[in-house]
Amino acid sequence: MKLKSFVCGNWHEGNGKTAILLNPATEEPLAEASTGGIDFAATLDFARSVGGPALRSLTFSQRAEKLRALYDALFAHREELIELSIRNGGNTRNDAKFDVDGATATLLAYVEVGEQLGNRKIINDGESIPLGRSPRYAGRHILVPMHGAAVHINAFNFPAWGMVEKAAVALLAGMPVVSKPATSTALLAHRMTEIIVDADVLPAGALSFIAGSVGDLADHLGSQDVLAFTGSGNTANILRSLSAHTEGSMRVNVEADSLNAAVMGPDVEISSETWQMMLNEVVTDVRQKAGQKCTAIRRVFVPAEKLEAFCEALRERLDDIVVGNPADASVRMGPLVSKKQLEDVKNGIETLQEQATKVTGHMEPQELVGVDDRKGFFLTPHLFRVDDPASAPIVHEREIFAPVVSVLPYNDAGTVVASCAAGGGSLVTSVYSDDRDFSREMLLALAPFNGRLTHGSSKVAGISPGPGSVLAMLVHGGPGRAGGGEELGGERGMSFYMQRTAIQGYSALLDKFFPDHAE
Ligand code: NAP
């Protein structure tokens, strides 16, 4: 099967060098992709000149209706999409649902945002501000859609959610989307695009899809375009150096890697409800999508006297995880997504091993369920223990994008904040404690170094989705090495795709032009 790109309103098969998409559990080839011969300048022009005006002619409620129709179309193919996610992504059924259902849930969340914004095409940012001595002269801020194309480049781990969480926000804001999934797992996003195109819901030019490399697309970007990227810090650096950004101030949003942390409060008793909650959330983050989750907990900080007990409890749980071909229903953790990923991870584990003690984990697993002939890109969950955090700087420096977690002891709250901050900026940190003073102090101290914080306690044990779940109504992103970007957050996410303009003049007229409530 040759994946096609959807550009300029048509499907195009690329020529030249192709990339092969595999089933990472069996190494069976599933499809190939190439973008050779695709005219990326024309792709962007079509989005800007055909898709942009069509979207901008719609009100937010009308755009929300389109998103709802996309939801209906995708949801109707849920089983097929889950199946593709299992085959091309190495996902268990639950992991596949996490991606596919996460995508449709995000669409629904933005349907609501659009309905609330209502029958208007611009957003008023705040109210009228009196300027000077006379009330007749005032100013206000409005948000209007940018007139370029929104280019979305996504990582391999969430082909469904990654595509939709960016596209829903941009389309609702009024910008046409050019979406590019990571090639290795593009099968799912490709099928979703086919479903969207067949549903004939969006105006022509509102959605383009690139199956394969982006070719020279970046050379044709301009200052009204925006680029939202999720992936490695190295690729982010290449994109940040594009002249459209450095010279033309094109907006670039980066969601990159992150050494997320979990902190246990000194009050948490062994085997208590809060202890158990923390243990469950750490296990989920190691196992889910084989740890290939940007929000996964990588570093666990526990009071020194509980290091031994927590490591032992965690080891037991990790050793129980059934690893193998996710097509087998008994399997709880699948393979890594590619050979390259597995090689990078093994390299990372060898480096980590020089500074930390391995408690459990096999890089050459012997017992894999449903796997023949030693095929597939597998390793088992790895747990490392660091007795002297000062001797293991690597734990705060290297993201190992895999089922790998390190546990570190701490003696006082000041040290743990400094250690979390040593990760250089994270997407999320979780704090587990029923001590209100400790919790508040810790959340406030950690906030500058994180895009999101979750507080686990006996009050929310059993109802928290855990730090690994990104929610459409809350911002996703983080400072420093996490990319410095921000996505989602309900209406907040739309401002990336819109220009905030200050307007001053006769106050009564401005109120008429830009009423505070939808007509
Ligand atoms: P990657 O190698 O940087 O690739 C990400 C995307 O960039 C892919 O679509 C890739 O396309 C594309 N790409 C690569 N080189 C490019 C270039 N020169 N110009 C334009 N696009 C280019 O990252 P990955 O290995 O897929 O993802 C793993 C990383 O992503 C991890 O570090 C993880 O932490 C991070 N991540 C972060 C988040 C977040 O929300 N913060 C979420 C998920 C993952 P091809 O596949 O065609 O090469």
Side-chain angles (χ1 to χ4, degrees):
M1 178 186 180
K2 182 108 189 235
L3 301 190
K4 292 180 181 166
S5 295
F6 186 72
V7 297
C8 302
N10 288 300
W11 289 101
H12 287 264
E13 190 170 304
N15 52 39
K17 194 165 172 274
T18 57
I20 311 287
L21 284 68
L22 301 177
N23 178 331
T26 62
E27 299 182 40
E28 169 206 358
L30 299 175
E32 52 187 78
S34 155
T35 53
I38 288 179
D39 184 340
F40 287 108
T43 300
L44 288 169
D45 273 349
F46 187 76
R48 292 180 196 122
S49 61
V50 179
L55 283 168
R56 294 196 297 273
S57 74
L58 304 175
T59 63
F60 291 114
S61 344
Q62 288 169 325
R63 291 175 211 157
E65 276 172 34
K66 306 264 174 219
L67 296 187
R68 186 179 289 282
L70 294 189
Y71 168 85
D72 290 340
L74 292 172
F75 191 76
H77 291 82
R78 179 172 179 265
E79 280 306 318
E80 180 195 353
L81 297 176
I82 288 172
E83 192 52 39
L84 279 178
S85 172
I86 294 171
R87 285 178 69 211
N88 185 208
N91 293 305
T92 62
R93 186 174 163 82
N94 278 341
D95 292 351
K97 286 198 287 187
F98 191 56
D99 187 20
V100 172
D101 292 344
T104 46
T106 304
L107 268 176
L108 273 193
Y110 275 90
V111 168
E112 262 184 51
V113 173
E115 284 170 349
Q116 274 161 20
L117 287 167
N119 189 20
R120 56 166 75 197
K121 295 176 186 168
I122 56 167
I123 296 178
N124 281 4
D125 178 22
E127 300 192 340
S128 178
I129 306 158
L131 300 171
R133 273 176 299 170
S134 164
R136 279 188 299 145
Y137 197 64
R140 55 165 65 237
H141 296 90
I142 60 166
L143 290 165
V144 292
M146 305 286 284
H147 277 211
V151 174
H152 294 163
I153 300 179
N154 283 309
F156 66 76
N157 53 348
F158 284 98
W161 177 82
M163 174 164 118
V164 168
E165 60 98 17
K166 287 184 172 65
V169 187
L171 293 170
L172 186 61
M175 275 195 94
V177 168
V178 178
S179 184
K180 183 226 162 334
T183 307
S184 57
T185 56
L187 204 50
L188 177 56
H190 178 266
R191 180 67 191 123
M192 288 168 68
T193 308
E194 281 183 338
I195 293 166
I196 291 172
V197 171
D198 290 349
D200 199 16
V201 169
L202 294 174
L207 179 68
S208 310
F209 175 81
I210 298 171
S213 85
V214 288
D216 67 352
L217 178 136
D219 299 340
H220 305 289
L221 292 169
S223 53
Q224 280 288 313
D225 299 318
V226 303
L227 174 60
F229 168 76
T230 298
S232 64
N234 289 344
T235 310
N237 289 339
I238 295 172
L239 298 175
R240 280 196 186 103
S241 64
L242 291 173
S243 64
H245 176 59
T246 56
E247 290 164 34
S249 305
M250 177 190 69
R251 292 179 189 175
V252 176
N253 190 73
V254 171
E255 300 293 339
D257 60 15
S258 175
L259 286 156
N260 311 296
V263 178
M264 178 189 285
D267 59 295
V268 178
E269 299 290 344
I270 294 173
S271 299
S272 65
E273 206 175 3
T274 307
W275 166 284
Q276 217 50 49
M277 175 185 187
M278 176 167 177
L279 187 61
N280 291 343
E281 294 190 350
V282 175
V283 171
T284 298
D285 274 8
V286 176
R287 178 194 52 71
Q288 197 167 49
K289 294 184 81 63
Q292 299 166 111
K293 228 170 44 173
C294 54
T295 48
I297 298 166
R298 308 286 178 202
R299 301 173 294 157
V300 179
F301 297 93
V302 298
E305 67 279 8
K306 290 172 188 148
L307 180 75
E308 192 76 46
F310 194 78
C311 278
E312 186 46 27
L314 187 53
R315 184 196 61 73
E316 258 183 43
R317 292 281 300 276
L318 296 182
D319 283 350
D320 273 353
I321 294 172
V322 178
V323 183
N325 186 340
D328 186 307
S330 67
V331 165
R332 291 288 163 267
M333 192 180 97
L336 296 189
V337 82
S338 66
K339 185 164 188 245
K340 175 181 168 295
Q341 209 40 39
L342 182 61
E343 280 164 4
D344 281 0
V345 164
K346 284 184 174 174
N347 192 283
I349 290 175
E350 272 157 19
T351 314
L352 180 59
Q353 227 154 246
E354 290 165 14
Q355 299 182 13
T357 310
K358 188 162 89 174
V359 178
T360 192
H362 300 283
M363 289 205 277
E364 308 292 341
Q366 298 302 311
E367 289 174 28
L368 293 169
V369 173
V371 177
D372 300 328
D373 306 331
R374 301 195 143 270
K375 292 274 192 215
F377 313 123
F378 293 95
L379 79 168
T380 64
H382 277 62
L383 168 61
F384 284 87
R385 166 187 171 145
V386 178
D387 288 293
D388 174 16
S391 67
I394 191 77
V395 177
H396 311 297
E397 287 161 12
R398 178 134 185 192
E399 182 204 46
I400 304 178
F401 209 56
V404 179
V405 68
S406 302
V407 183
L408 302 95
Y410 75 88
N411 289 306
D412 64 90
T415 335
V416 80
V417 172
S419 298
C420 289
S426 300
L427 293 171
V428 59
T429 289
S430 40
V431 176
Y432 302 84
S433 170
D434 288 286
D435 176 332
R436 291 188 179 188
D437 291 340
F438 172 84
S439 299
R440 183 173 188 278
E441 193 184 315
M442 194 51 65
L443 291 169
L444 277 177
L446 290 170
F449 309 104
N450 288 275
R452 185 163 56 93
L453 295 168
T454 73
H455 181 224
S457 71
S458 56
K459 299 280 185 209
V460 294
I463 56 170
S464 148
S469 296
V470 173
L471 304 171
M473 287 303 146
L474 297 181
V475 291
H476 171 59
R481 74 177 291 158
E486 197 174 280
E487 289 182 339
L488 298 172
E491 194 184 312
R492 286 175 193 84
M494 291 165 67
S495 60
F496 179 67
Y497 300 98
M498 304 181 90
Q499 175 62 37
R500 179 181 284 107
T501 304
I503 304 191
Q504 57 196 78
Y506 177 37
S507 57
L509 204 54
L510 294 189
D511 290 350
K512 219 174 169 50
F513 290 163
F514 312 111
D516 282 328
H517 302 286
E519 292 127 37

